Amino acid sequence: MIAFLIRRLASAIPTLLVIITVAFFMMRVAPGGPFDEDRALAPDIEANILRAYNLDKPLVEQYFDYVGNLLRGDFGPSYKIRDFDVNDLILAGFPASLQLGGTAILLAVILGISFGTLAALRQNQASDYAIMTVAMIGIAVPNFVMAPLLTLVFGVYLSLLPVAGWGGGALENKLLPVIALALPQVAYIARLTRGSMVEVLSANYVRTARAKGLREQVVVLRHALKGALLPVVSYLGPATAGLVTGSVVIETIFDIPGIGRYFVQGALNRDYTLVMGVMIFYAVLIIALNLLVDMIYGFLDPKVRHG
């Protein structure tokens, strides 16, 4: 397992370096800049600002300076949010994003696996068609449509839940964004589980378990479910990272002070360091979660460790 982990880490470092390099140069070669305002600055003032942020240096030199700061864990200052470093902004936004994303993915895993398993056990029956139809609708309706619908019904018409705001992390403020985040993931996980479970249930080792007279519940939970979860585990890595780092749309709709909202502000304001910081944080989280998924995958299927 240690050798397996070292191999995965060795491949992750170049991947992260490529992401940083491509993102840095793509942002810098795009037209415009963080200080291109409606009213043009006086040349000497603009020169002073660029010098203060080292933006007057050649692009390659800026890149190596940025990478050197990253190695020290410094994402640099925000160009637009005064007196705040990018590290501070990410640390300020991550707890809200983590709470929403973590709850949403946990809810999606529990419901998705349960519905997918039920559909597979009742293949081609009415309940199977009903679950898969609802799952398809969940996939087809994007969360930027689902979120306003939930807000309209439960916030405006029924007045049961607040339509926006964080409220210091109060439960009633989290319900609608968590549901809006979780619903598409429930649908994806249910379809993955159903497809994989149908295939596993016809495998020889499952038929052997049934031939031994084991109860159907034992056959499903002890023998079939482990094999059926392999594609779900693979999917959970990027899905969890996407939810935990904050949904740009959901955080904007519900006015949640998470990482996703900072990313939107940074992109609109051409705040290079803020966008880069969020992007790198997102990439590191994806790599770490994929590494965790690989380890779980290796546990579920030992052939992967030795491949």
Side-chain angles (χ1 to χ4, degrees):
M1 180 58 80
I2 295 177
F4 174 77
L5 184 61
I6 292 174
R7 286 202 303 272
R8 288 294 185 269
L9 282 174
S11 63
I13 293 173
T15 302
L16 185 59
L17 185 60
V18 169
I19 291 172
I20 293 171
T21 304
V22 172
F24 181 90
F25 285 103
M26 284 186 66
M27 289 188 59
R28 296 306 175 92
V29 299
F35 305 110
D36 293 344
E37 300 174 347
D38 294 336
R39 185 169 59 87
L41 296 172
D44 55 337
I45 295 176
E46 184 175 2
N48 288 335
I49 293 176
L50 294 178
R51 189 179 307 111
Y53 289 106
N54 294 324
L55 293 175
D56 58 336
K57 294 181 179 179
L59 193 56
V60 175
E61 188 175 348
Q62 291 181 43
Y63 168 74
F64 284 109
D65 287 345
Y66 186 75
V67 172
N69 291 333
L70 283 182
L71 293 176
R72 295 190 293 272
D74 182 9
F75 288 114
S78 168
Y79 293 156
K80 287 297 185 180
I81 303 177
R82 306 294 182 191
D83 302 325
F84 282 94
D85 289 335
V86 175
N87 299 49
D88 299 331
L89 296 174
I90 291 176
L91 288 176
F94 186 58
S97 297
L98 179 63
Q99 290 182 47
L100 286 186
T103 309
I105 197 66
L106 181 63
L107 184 66
V109 167
I110 294 172
L111 295 181
I113 292 177
S114 300
F115 287 138
T117 303
L118 179 63
L121 294 175
R122 299 182 180 178
Q123 186 182 7
N124 298 328
Q125 297 180 20
S127 54
D128 179 22
Y129 293 132
I131 291 173
M132 288 301 102
T133 300
V134 173
M136 184 56 70
I137 294 173
I139 294 173
V141 179
N143 55 15
F144 62 80
V145 174
M146 184 60 69
L149 286 176
L150 291 172
T151 301
L152 194 64
V153 173
F154 295 100
V156 177
Y157 292 154
L158 301 178
S159 300
L160 294 176
L161 296 168
V163 298
W166 183 234
L171 178 62
E172 59 267 25
N173 291 79
K174 296 177 186 173
L175 286 177
L176 291 182
V178 165
I179 293 172
L181 277 174
L183 283 179
Q185 305 304 326
V186 172
Y188 278 114
I189 293 174
R191 289 189 62 82
L192 283 172
T193 304
R194 191 260 183 195
S196 181
M197 181 64 83
V198 167
E199 185 177 344
V200 169
L201 286 175
S202 61
N204 290 333
Y205 71 92
V206 174
R207 288 204 295 267
T208 302
R210 283 174 171 155
K212 289 180 178 178
L214 296 177
R215 288 183 296 135
E216 185 65 16
Q217 185 179 5
V218 175
V219 172
V220 172
L221 295 179
R222 184 178 300 175
H223 297 281
L225 191 57
K226 184 177 178 181
L229 288 182
L230 289 176
V232 177
V233 170
S234 299
Y235 173 75
L236 285 180
T240 304
L243 292 182
V244 168
T245 51
S247 166
V248 172
V249 175
I250 295 299
E251 289 187 1
T252 303
I253 290 175
F254 290 102
D255 193 26
I256 294 171
I259 292 179
R261 195 178 67 170
Y262 285 129
F263 183 80
V264 172
Q265 292 176 353
L268 292 176
N269 294 328
R270 303 300 304 272
D271 194 338
Y272 295 146
T273 49
L274 181 56
V275 174
M276 283 291 297
V278 174
M279 194 178 302
I280 293 169
F281 185 77
Y282 182 79
V284 169
L285 201 57
I286 285 182
I287 290 173
L289 288 172
N290 276 326
L291 183 62
L292 179 63
V293 165
D294 286 343
M295 294 174 65
I296 297 174
Y297 209 95
F299 172 75
L300 294 174
D301 185 0
K303 289 185 293 186
V304 175
R305 292 201 302 264
H306 303 296

